[in-house]
Amino acid sequence: MKLYNADLPPYEEDAVLLTQYLQENNMEALGKLYSKHAEMVYYVCLRYFKEEEKSKDAVMQIFEELITKIKKQDIKSFPKWLYVVSKNFCLMDLRSKKGRVEISVDEFVEFPISMHQEESYSEKEGKLSSLEQCIEKLPEKQRVTVDLFFINEHCYKEVVEITGYSMNEVKSYIQNGKRNLKNCMDRADA
Amino acid sequence: MRKLTFDIAHLRKYVNGELSSKEMHEIERATHDDEMLTDILMGLEIEKNNQSTPLSLADISDQITERTQQRPRSRPLWNNNIFKIAASVVVLLTATGVLFWNTQKQETHSEELAVNDMPEGPIGPSHDRIAEISATPDSVGKLYSEPKYRQQDVHPEQNRKHENVSANLRSRNLTEQEKQILAYTPTEKNIEFSQDIAGTLNLGHPKHESDVIIINTEAQDKSNLIASSSKKQAQPRIADTRVSINPNATLSAAQMRAKLSNMGLEPQTNFISAQVLDQQSKKPLAGVEVTDIQNDRVALTDADGRFTYLANNKQSLKINAEGYTTREIATENGAQTILLSPKESFLEEISITKDSKSSKSTPLMGREKYMTYLRNEINKITEQRYAFTVQIALSKKGDPDTVTITKSSDESLNAKVIRIITRGPHWTTGSDWKKVTLEISSL
């Protein structure tokens, strides 16, 4: 592999492309950067709009927004930032037609409750015993699914097969179980 | 917590049930902490349920490439606007002048009387006069010929705006109406021109903020010139003229709420309407980005420097304009004026750096960020501890052109490190631009 040839289709990183655009107003760099993530943007739009053509249009509309927006903000993680911009774009669009579309937030899984899930190993150890106690207190269906999913690391499909519950039931038991567990743990902390 | 990243192809396999249980669990587990992943998966599931063909990435890339090859849209400059506005002032004044000329001839006699009733002694270029003048085009000549009125401390600087207007006109033969307008225009100082999006032209005077002349370009009837004065309570003599207060006067909170309810929004929504002005010149700033700090939503100011924003709770907004210091404001209900003060000239700073002989080259993004960038990149290619000493020769533009590694903890990584630097961010060149030494080591 020739590493020094500047003409090579480069392994260009987000940060590099981003600085190229910010410092030299290099539209091509922004285009490359966006192309890398356009698929992600498309599927996020599709999740909200549920229409392919509208989502494709949205991908280009978001790119237009990006051209100016990107200069005004200190972006640490481009994909994360782009995701927020895309999602806001979709929500704003849907809100403008409020009353016609309902977005379910429960279709897949619950959004993360805590943004600070990074914990030190020792803290985790300390909590393990109270976690076990809390799991024991869960209603039967939640206890079984949580145990299978989080502890035994089975995927949803396997949990369905093992328990005989439907896919939606499994997802909802795991969600509710997780929420109950969190509440139980918070009480144990207090 | 383990951070996982998945590519779309992998996620599509998940949706199609082509992954092993372990891989599936891995993704499912990650969705519990990653909203973005959840959304993408749901998008993929919709695609599968709609049985639509997968997105053609090539199509999207083509569109993006096409867009990037267009010339960037240039920002409108205030200076250009001045001329545009000045030109429209002249055109509009001419048009209205013609209208008055034609419609008010019969009434001229009584109008002249009113002008003659004016007190003697020092006559300032006040707005009362404008009201009179505009109502009685026939009498303009008289006013103009009064030396006191013309001589009233006219500063050349203050009049520059109007000279521009008149200079444009003198380059061709003037119509009678244009001469009439020119007859009084240069004597009136400090008139501020502004034009809103609807095309309404406002002429105002800083000392008489409530006095404005509004010329509506969307001519609904033939007398569009509106003159007003709070000082004199001048009643319009022409049936079609109406006395108006400044249209820029802000709406009351109650009025805004009424507007809001029309838009079908929740009552607890805060409705902010504000105008962004230059602190010194008090000129409106167009295209200023107003960012909601909490959710990154952005609103832009219009040509009048105005923006409106709907906030769901007590948030603050960041006002960010190129060349101005960034400000944060609270989203209070109602109207406010935001003044931005210009930043110290950025260009000057650069020239100072370049002038001093002993300056050092620095990465454009700042040294600390640059080092973080380098470490992040190197961490991707090795898990070992490392230490490199490199010499970088920058191009005059600040590209890290040639990189030599003088000390290396792992020679097999040299090529990659060189690549990271040469492909990396640009530098500002100092006196040492031909030979910048850099030490990079793992933390």
Side-chain angles (χ1 to χ4, degrees), chain B residues 59 99 134 148 172 180 247 251 263 286-287 352 441:
Chain B
D59 279 359
L99 285 172
S134 43
K148 277 174 186 167
R172 58 184 171 86
Q180 294 283 344
L251 294 173
M263 293 158 81
I352 291 166
S441 59

Coordinates of all heavy atoms in Angstrom, one line a residue, chain B residues 59 99 134 148 172 180 247 251 263 286-287 352 441:
Chain B
D59 N -26.9 7.1 -5.7 CA -27.8 8.2 -6.0 C -27.6 9.4 -5.1 O -27.4 10.5 -5.5 CB -29.3 7.7 -5.9 CG -29.7 7.0 -7.2 OD1 -28.8 6.8 -8.1 OD2 -30.9 6.6 -7.2
L99 N -47.9 60.6 -8.1 CA -49.3 60.4 -7.7 C -49.8 61.7 -7.0 O -50.9 62.2 -7.3 CB -49.4 59.3 -6.7 CG -49.3 57.9 -7.4 CD1 -49.2 56.8 -6.3 CD2 -50.5 57.7 -8.3
S134 N -44.4 66.4 2.0 CA -44.9 65.3 1.2 C -46.4 65.6 0.8 O -46.9 65.1 -0.2 CB -44.8 64.0 1.9 OG -45.1 64.2 3.3
K148 N -32.4 79.5 5.8 CA -32.2 78.9 7.1 C -32.4 77.5 7.1 O -31.8 76.7 7.9 CB -33.2 79.6 8.1 CG -32.8 80.9 8.6 CD -33.9 81.6 9.4 CE -33.5 83.0 9.8 NZ -34.7 83.7 10.3
R172 N -28.2 61.3 -14.9 CA -29.1 61.3 -16.1 C -30.0 62.5 -16.0 O -30.0 63.3 -15.0 CB -29.9 60.0 -16.1 CG -30.7 59.8 -14.8 CD -31.4 58.5 -14.9 NE -32.0 58.2 -13.6 CZ -33.2 58.6 -13.3 NH1 -34.0 59.3 -14.1 NH2 -33.7 58.2 -12.1
Q180 N -38.2 67.6 -7.7 CA -38.9 68.0 -6.5 C -38.4 67.2 -5.3 O -38.3 67.8 -4.2 CB -40.4 67.7 -6.7 CG -41.1 68.5 -7.8 CD -41.4 69.9 -7.4 OE1 -41.4 70.1 -6.2 NE2 -41.7 70.7 -8.3
P247 N -44.2 51.1 12.7 CA -44.7 49.8 12.6 C -43.8 48.8 13.2 O -44.1 47.6 13.4 CB -44.7 49.6 11.1 CG -43.6 50.5 10.6 CD -43.7 51.7 11.5
L251 N -45.1 43.9 19.3 CA -46.4 43.4 19.8 C -46.4 43.2 21.3 O -45.4 42.9 21.9 CB -46.6 42.1 19.1 CG -46.8 42.1 17.6 CD1 -46.9 40.7 17.1 CD2 -48.1 42.8 17.2
M263 N -51.8 29.7 15.7 CA -50.9 28.7 15.1 C -51.0 27.3 15.7 O -50.4 26.4 15.4 CB -49.4 29.1 15.3 CG -49.1 30.4 14.5 SD -47.7 31.3 15.2 CE -46.4 30.4 14.5
A286 N -28.5 40.7 9.4 CA -29.2 39.7 8.8 C -28.5 38.4 8.8 O -27.2 38.4 8.8 CB -29.5 40.1 7.3
G287 N -29.2 37.3 8.7 CA -28.5 36.0 8.6 C -27.8 35.5 9.8 O -26.9 34.7 9.8
I352 N -0.2 40.6 12.9 CA 0.7 40.9 13.9 C 1.6 39.6 14.1 O 2.8 39.7 14.1 CB 0.0 41.2 15.3 CG1 -0.6 42.5 15.2 CG2 1.0 41.1 16.4 CD1 -1.6 42.8 16.3
S441 N 3.7 11.5 22.3 CA 3.8 10.2 23.1 C 2.5 9.9 23.7 O 1.6 10.7 24.0 CB 4.9 10.4 24.2 OG 4.5 11.4 25.0

